[in-house]
């Protein structure tokens, strides 16, 4: 969304989305149910000249009674060099965790080449090709056993960003990442898709709808291969 900002006089853009839910809608007095949910997204983009520096973060937390059912988040920093050229370059680093699925932590370091396939004032369609080094630490279900995995992977994506009209914009990114793991003598493949549809309500407020999915054909530990998240909420543009 920040890449499509029309005010070119700005070189620092920020967007924050916050959500909070708490209730005790239990069915019986002797069976209490206390729910607490919190989510925070913070996105920054700084482009002082030929280059752009981007920070994207997401944190989700869900707790029912005394048990934390979901604790997920990531922090992603990216540098895009010579961003206005048809062929440009980028480097990135990411930290993430997903306690409910057993991902204690994941570090990613990488970079690659970007090519603008189609670009107008309102629409950008591009492809990115590159590589990365991924370090993961997983916890086996119902056990205190951990497994470390270090892999070099190819990381490639397609990105579509389009202002459909003055009030609605679309942002779509589809990733394909693959790497050979000698421990299983095979390639591990990951697909992920992120779709965001924003509807402008006022100069400061917008309605945000997002859909995220990920698929791993050979997970490091026995977990669900396909996961998805569907959200709708209000965004505040600072």
């Amino acid at each position: 969304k920040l890449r499509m900002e029309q005010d070119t006089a700005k070189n620092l853009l920020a967007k924050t989305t916050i959500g909070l839910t708490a209730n005790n809608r239990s069915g019986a007095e002797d069976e209490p149910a206390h729910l607490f949910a919190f989510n925070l997204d913070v996105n920054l983009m700084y482009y002082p000249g030929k280059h752009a520096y981007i920070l994207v973060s997401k944190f989700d937390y869900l707790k029912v009674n005394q048990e934390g059912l979901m604790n997920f988040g990531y922090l992603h920093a990216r540098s895009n060099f010579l961003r206005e050229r048809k062929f440009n370059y980028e480097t990135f680093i990411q930290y993430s965790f997903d306690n409910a699925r057993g991902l204690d932590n994941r570090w990613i370091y990488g970079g690659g080449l970007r090519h603008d396939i189609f670009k107008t004032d309102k629409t950008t369609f591009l492809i990115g090709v590159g590589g990365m080094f991924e370090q993961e630490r997983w916890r086996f279900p119902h056990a205190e056993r951990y497994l470390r995995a270090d892999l070099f992977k190819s990381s490639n994506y397609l990105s579509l960003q389009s202002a459909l009209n003055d009030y609605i914009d679309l942002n779509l990114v589809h990733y394909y990442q693959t790497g050979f793991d000698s421990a299983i003598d095979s390639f591990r493949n990951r697909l992920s898709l992120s779709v965001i549809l924003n509807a402008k309500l006022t100069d400061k407020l917008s309605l945000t709808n997002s859909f995220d999915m990920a698929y791993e054909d050979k997970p490091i530990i026995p977990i669900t291969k396909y996961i998805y998240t569907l959200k709708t909420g209000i965004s505040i543009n600072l």
Side-chain angles (χ1 to χ4, degrees), residues 123-149:
T123 301
T124 299
F125 179 51
L126 61 87
I127 184 173
V129 179
M132 66 182 192
F133 179 63
E134 185 176 76
Q135 294 179 309
E136 297 178 321
R137 185 171 184 260
W138 291 86
R139 184 186 72 254
F140 278 83
H142 314 295
E144 289 300 320
R145 178 188 170 194
Y146 290 87
L147 181 63
R148 171 87 175 258

Side-chain angles (χ1 to χ4, degrees), residues 100-210:
R101 287 173 55 80
L103 180 61
D104 190 52
N105 61 71
R106 172 188 287 150
W107 284 95
I108 295 176
Y109 315 87
L113 173 69
R114 289 161 44 104
H115 172 53
D116 293 337
I117 300 174
F118 176 78
K119 189 172 184 179
T120 66
D121 291 340
K122 293 188 175 181
T123 301
T124 299
F125 179 51
L126 61 87
I127 184 173
V129 179
M132 66 182 192
F133 179 63
E134 185 176 76
Q135 294 179 309
E136 297 178 321
R137 185 171 184 260
W138 291 86
R139 184 186 72 254
F140 278 83
H142 314 295
E144 289 300 320
R145 178 188 170 194
Y146 290 87
L147 181 63
R148 171 87 175 258
D150 298 343
L151 294 175
F152 286 98
K153 289 185 175 181
S154 170
S155 180
N156 315 286
Y157 65 90
L158 292 171
S159 174
L160 173 65
Q161 299 153 354
S162 180
L164 303 180
N165 54 44
D166 292 338
Y167 299 95
I168 301 175
D169 62 76
L170 173 69
N171 192 322
L172 183 151
V173 181
H174 177 54
Y175 270 90
Y176 171 61
Q177 297 168 335
T178 183
F180 184 80
D181 189 349
S182 58
I184 61 173
D185 196 29
S186 179
F187 283 88
R188 295 188 187 271
N189 301 288
R190 177 187 300 143
L191 296 172
S192 64
L193 173 68
S194 177
V195 181
I196 300 175
L197 188 67
N198 296 299
K200 183 178 179 180
L201 302 177
T202 69
D203 290 339
K204 296 295 183 181
L205 298 177
S206 60
L207 180 65
T208 301
N209 303 281
S210 66

